[in-house]
Amino acid sequence: MSRKVDSVKDINDSKETWRLAVRIMDVWSVVNNKGIEHLEMIVMDSLGDRIQVLIRHDHLLKWKEVIKENMTCIINNGNVYNNDFQWKAIELQNIPPKGYFFKDFGEILQGKCKTDRLEDIIGAVSEINHIQSNTPGKKVVISVMLKDLKGNCINCNLWEIYGSKFLAYYNDPKNNGAIVILLTHAMVKDGQVSNAWSGSKLLINEDIPEIQDFMSKLPTNEQKEKPTQSVKSLSNWSGASQYSPVERFVHNAKCMSLSQFCKIKHETLCVTVATTLKFVVSKYGWFYYGCTRCSSKAPNPEKAYECSCGQKVEQPIPRYKIEIYVSNGESKYRFVFWDSECAAILGMTAEFMHNSMVENGEDDPMVYPDELEMLLNKKMAFRVKVQPTFSQASVWKLCDDEAFVKEIENDYIVEDNQSKTEYAKLVPNKENLETSAQTLSASGENDPESIILMTPAKDVVIADKGEEVDFEASGATQLSGTKPSKKLKIEPSS
């Protein structure tokens, strides 16, 4: 005789012999400051009631590959403290499809919500209020104003990867018109919302009924209108609207072909186009242990310490540092790719990749996982700091958009056969420089955590960290009162 199925609403700590028929609505991984991973999920029964479920780290290997979002299953037995559940995956027709329980903006503004409860949020972005790039002691955060169909507006803060995901979508020239975002498991406090550090999902203009229905109910003129930046967010950079994404990318850098790198005698900020070729196997492997906030290297990977950025680090985390040979024609040079660049291309953190390898019984940093192959055979535009002392270049910024790369290659790269006299014409006199102009979005050798333009920016301006460059030593192209100069096209003499 089989046991009856219990309802989520009836669960209590009076017994452990529960039998739940549920659909898994969301599932995510959580890693604590000691590097221990466990799974968390939201499940829903046939009555629409939901409950959070945790799977302990000692059960992780058994269930991580089995559990999938939107699947139905039977959970047999469970202790409310230990989450010692037994699972049986079957298709149950009476469990409704995954749904969202959106919090009303009016209730948020009136304070009619619990601060210890996570809510689902949906709204149209009406304005971008603030953009903060990743700098020492600061995390990426994008603040946007969300508007519901009733006209209520609340502030929404998107932190770290959520903010970067929004910027990448906003900066993509293919994305025009209104932006509707759906944020699951959002934290609500003081009349505004933000993503949770673990478990939130950010959906932007995705082809799901909830977003498409919301979009269809917007006024026709708003459906076609892309959200704008506030004066406050634009004030981070003077005169930003004058310059295109490519012009901001090459600002204060010497644009040159890869073959000229070997001729550089001093540390120089350069822009070039090259294709990633193969890994340079470092004696330290493909990652290093660093601070949980900034990218500084930890003095000891096994000991807690206080970082120079002020963060108290209980357990340092793996961060990417990968050396790759890049090539252009017959020329080849060694580039160092840092944590944020690699994570943007691979779509996963070094910590996640390292933990996955450890789960499979491999903890040697000299073993390069297969996923890293995604970094190779990519033609990109690079903004790098050439370090001739070490015969290498440190990648500060990159872009793999084909049109973006082609424009830099065709209009800015100085060829080997161009004379020094002709190249000098590219550099405006210092008297003509607009002294108020700031350099754009770069990170130092020990702080590679800049926002990555995997697709060229369209309107969003990212505040600069104020890099210092010796213009005379580098021969860098500088911003004048108009726009950056493109390379001269030399006609053969008759």
Side-chain angles (χ1 to χ4, degrees):
M1 183 180 295
S2 61
R3 285 169 46 194
K4 70 179 183 65
V5 174
D6 299 299
S7 298
V8 166
K9 66 180 181 180
D10 296 327
I11 291 179
N12 55 58
D13 59 0
S14 63
K15 63 177 184 178
E16 299 180 8
T17 55
W18 298 101
R19 180 176 174 81
L20 301 175
V22 296
R23 183 181 297 277
I24 299 175
M25 298 180 62
D26 287 288
V27 59
W28 63 93
S29 173
V30 178
V31 181
N32 65 16
N33 56 12
K34 295 183 179 180
I36 299 175
E37 181 183 10
H38 70 270
L39 291 182
E40 296 189 13
M41 345 180 250
I42 301 295
V43 301
M44 178 176 66
D45 66 11
S46 60
L47 299 177
D49 293 317
R50 299 183 296 172
I51 192 171
Q52 184 176 2
V53 177
L54 281 76
I55 298 182
R56 300 185 326 202
H57 67 91
D58 50 340
H59 294 277
L60 185 67
L61 289 179
K62 182 178 180 180
W63 297 114
K64 188 172 184 179
E65 298 303 319
V66 176
I67 296 171
K68 303 296 181 183
E69 189 174 299
N70 209 34
M71 70 178 285
T72 56
C73 58
I74 294 289
I75 304 177
N76 287 313
N77 305 332
N79 184 285
V80 293
Y81 297 104
N82 297 327
N83 285 325
D84 191 15
F85 291 126
Q86 300 176 25
W87 291 75
K88 183 179 180 181
I90 57 176
E91 183 60 29
L92 302 170
Q93 300 298 328
N94 65 327
I95 307 294
K98 175 180 176 179
Y100 300 94
F101 298 82
F102 297 117
K103 190 65 177 178
D104 185 83
F105 283 15
E107 294 182 7
I108 293 176
L109 293 172
Q110 295 171 26
K112 296 180 179 180
C113 53
K114 297 180 179 180
T115 57
D116 59 350
R117 180 173 176 176
L118 301 180
E119 304 286 357
D120 294 339
I121 300 296
I122 188 170
V125 179
S126 61
E127 190 176 52
I128 300 173
N129 294 329
H130 179 71
I131 300 171
Q132 177 176 288
S133 59
N134 198 335
T135 57
K138 295 183 178 180
K139 299 178 183 292
V140 174
V141 59
I142 308 299
S143 178
V144 300
M145 186 63 67
L146 291 183
K147 184 170 69 173
D148 66 10
L149 296 174
K150 300 177 183 177
N152 296 316
C153 294
I154 61 172
N155 193 67
C156 176
N157 296 315
L158 302 174
W159 292 85
E160 298 194 316
I161 60 174
Y162 300 87
S164 299
K165 179 179 180 178
F166 178 84
L167 276 184
Y169 183 91
Y170 187 91
N171 290 334
D172 192 330
K174 299 190 299 291
N175 298 325
N176 294 308
I179 296 178
V180 175
I181 69 173
L182 190 160
L183 183 65
T184 68
H185 308 147
M187 297 186 295
V188 182
K189 185 177 181 181
D190 299 329
Q192 59 182 343
V193 299
S194 64
N195 60 272
W197 296 115
S198 296
S200 287
K201 287 184 173 61
L202 176 63
L203 307 179
I204 306 175
N205 281 10
E206 295 198 13
D207 189 16
I208 62 173
E210 291 80 3
I211 289 181
Q212 296 304 314
D213 180 65
F214 189 100
M215 182 75 77
S216 68
K217 294 178 180 178
L218 289 174
T220 304
N221 62 316
E222 292 185 18
Q223 293 181 24
K224 300 178 181 180
E225 185 176 345
K226 188 171 185 177
T228 59
Q229 289 181 258
S230 66
V231 175
K232 180 180 178 181
S233 69
L234 287 170
S235 64
N236 289 328
W237 189 58
S238 175
S241 60
Q242 301 177 40
Y243 307 104
S244 71
V246 170
E247 289 166 339
R248 299 201 298 268
F249 191 91
V250 305
H251 173 47
N252 273 352
K254 184 174 182 179
C255 301
M256 59 195 307
S257 63
L258 194 66
S259 62
Q260 294 175 298
F261 277 35
C262 60
K263 303 174 184 178
I264 296 176
K265 303 300 181 183
H266 307 282
E267 286 194 352
T268 307
L269 189 64
C270 296
V271 166
T272 194
V273 171
T275 302
T276 51
L277 186 62
K278 65 178 182 178
F279 296 117
V280 183
V281 180
S282 165
K283 63 179 180 180
Y284 302 109
W286 57 274
F287 70 90
Y288 68 96
Y289 284 96
C291 173
T292 54
R293 174 189 290 173
C294 71
S295 58
S296 299
K297 184 177 180 181
N300 188 320
E302 299 178 355
K303 292 185 178 181
Y305 72 103
E306 183 171 348
C307 181
S308 58
C309 71
Q311 176 77 355
K312 292 183 178 180
V313 182
E314 296 295 330
Q315 175 63 55
I317 62 173
R319 289 189 176 275
Y320 294 111
K321 181 186 176 185
I322 302 176
E323 299 179 21
I324 300 177
Y325 275 125
V326 302
S327 65
N328 193 332
E330 299 297 322
S331 303
K332 185 171 67 174
Y333 209 78
R334 182 163 55 101
F335 280 17
V336 180
F337 288 69
W338 297 94
D339 195 63
S340 59
E341 289 85 357
C342 295
I345 297 174
L346 299 171
M348 66 184 79
T349 65
E351 182 180 21
F352 178 84
M353 187 175 292
H354 173 260
N355 290 340
S356 298
M357 291 189 67
V358 172
E359 289 174 10
N360 293 321
E362 184 59 73
D363 61 355
D364 186 354
M366 299 304 297
V367 177
Y368 284 55
D370 293 337
E371 289 80 359
L372 295 182
E373 298 288 334
M374 294 170 59
L375 298 172
L376 303 181
N377 302 313
K378 287 183 174 290
K379 185 175 183 179
M380 294 183 277
F382 293 97
R383 182 180 176 93
V384 300
K385 181 179 181 181
V386 181
Q387 301 166 307
T389 303
F390 306 104
S391 298
Q392 69 178 27
S394 179
V395 177
W396 283 18
K397 195 173 181 181
L398 53 79
C399 178
D400 66 350
D401 179 79
E402 184 177 352
F404 189 96
V405 173
K406 186 175 181 180
E407 182 174 349
I408 287 182
E409 188 173 39
N410 291 343
D411 295 346
Y412 289 90
I413 300 298
V414 178
E415 303 297 339
D416 291 338
N417 59 1
Q418 187 163 336
S419 68
K420 292 183 179 180
T421 302
E422 295 295 343
Y423 180 74
K425 296 178 182 178
L426 296 174
V427 185
N429 295 328
K430 281 191 173 182
E431 294 81 20
N432 296 329
L433 288 178
E434 186 177 55
T435 56
S436 62
Q438 297 177 318
T439 55
L440 178 75
S441 189
S443 59
E445 179 182 352
N446 296 319
D447 177 36
E449 301 285 308
S450 59
I451 292 291
I452 306 303
L453 284 177
M454 293 306 296
T455 54
K458 186 172 184 180
D459 296 311
V460 174
V461 178
I462 302 172
D464 183 29
K465 299 182 183 180
E467 60 202 68
E468 297 293 335
V469 180
D470 184 345
F471 294 113
E472 293 183 345
S474 65
T477 302
Q478 306 169 36
L479 277 180
S480 68
T482 55
K483 292 186 177 182
S485 303
K486 298 183 179 181
K487 73 176 182 182
L488 297 178
K489 299 187 184 297
I490 308 299
E491 300 292 340
S493 58
S494 55

